[in-house]
């Protein structure tokens, strides 16, 4: 696994990938330690870094990267659904569960969103509570607000 830290308006991001694709992007780098067998990336993560910089500069709305998150089949379905939420829009957990044709799975969807290992790029920040409130985000509610404001989908 190759890794790097990348500066962002949210603070340093930890990115890691292998030959399969991008495996993780964490905002709270202190809570996600680098594994002893990981190697510092030279140029393996340059494209992901470039696209993140474009996103934060409001020059990119859709990422074009090979993603390889590790999760259960249900988590994979939930994360694929997140990729369907357009830039600048939000869904509720209920809408995401209905999209998955499992409208009673709202809590399970929330749990799977919380396990998303590739935040920002797999946009779990675009999911809000049923009343539109900001709930649950592994990167912290303050970062969720910043991301939604960046995308123009949330005005505080």
């Amino acid at each position: 696994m190759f890794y790097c830290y990348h500066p962002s308006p949210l603070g340093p991001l930890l990115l890691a990938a292998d030959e399969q694709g991008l495996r993780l992007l964490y905002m709270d780098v202190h809570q996600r330690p680098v594994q002893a067998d990981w190697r510092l990336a030279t140029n393996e993560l340059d494209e992901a870094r470039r696209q993140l910089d474009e996103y934060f500069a409001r020059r990119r709305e859709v990422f074009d990267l090979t993603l390889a998150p590790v999760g259960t089949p249900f988590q994979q379905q939930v994360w694929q659904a997140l990729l369907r939420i357009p830039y600048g829009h939000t869904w509720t957990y209920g809408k995401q569960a209905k999209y998955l044709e499992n409208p009673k799975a709202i809590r399970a969807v929330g749990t799977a969103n919380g396990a998303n290992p590739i935040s920002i790029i797999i946009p779990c920040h675009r999911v809000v509570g049923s009343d539109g409130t900001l709930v649950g985000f592994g990167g912290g509610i303050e970062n969720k607000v910043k991301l939604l404001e960046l995308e123009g989908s949330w005005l505080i």
Side-chain angles (χ1 to χ4, degrees):
M1 184 91 72
F2 293 96
Y3 78 95
C4 71
Y5 294 99
H6 187 65
S8 83
L10 308 176
L13 305 174
L14 172 62
L15 289 86
D18 62 15
E19 63 280 347
Q20 300 296 311
L22 188 64
R23 295 281 183 181
L24 63 87
L25 186 162
Y26 291 135
M27 286 179 255
D28 190 357
V29 298
H30 302 295
Q31 301 231 348
R32 309 290 184 174
V34 171
Q35 303 298 310
D37 61 338
W38 291 8
R39 295 179 300 190
L40 190 60
T42 51
N43 61 353
E44 293 86 358
L45 291 162
D46 285 356
E47 183 61 19
R49 294 169 62 154
R50 183 183 68 76
Q51 289 189 31
L52 282 164
D53 288 344
E54 291 173 354
Y55 170 81
F56 285 116
R58 293 189 168 114
R59 293 191 317 266
R60 174 173 292 276
E61 296 182 1
V62 177
F63 291 94
D64 184 19
L65 298 166
T66 301
L67 306 178
V70 176
T72 67
F74 180 74
Q75 288 172 326
Q76 296 286 343
Q77 288 180 321
V78 169
W79 301 335
Q80 284 299 310
L82 290 170
L83 293 169
R84 304 292 297 175
I85 305 171
Y87 180 95
H89 293 83
T90 57
W91 283 7
T92 63
Y93 292 99
K95 181 173 180 173
Q96 189 179 6
K98 286 178 188 171
Y99 176 85
L100 294 167
E101 298 179 358
N102 197 348
K104 293 184 179 181
I106 295 170
R107 286 182 188 223
V109 164
T111 300
N113 282 351
N116 172 16
I118 307 177
S119 60
I120 303 171
I121 294 170
I122 298 178
C124 54
H125 61 276
R126 295 180 187 156
V127 182
V128 297
S130 61
D131 61 357
T133 57
L134 299 183
V135 293
F137 185 60
I141 294 295
E142 65 282 349
N143 283 336
K144 185 170 188 162
V145 169
K146 289 177 185 177
L147 290 167
L148 293 173
E149 285 178 339
L150 172 82
E151 295 183 8
S153 58
W154 195 265
L155 301 174
I156 300 296

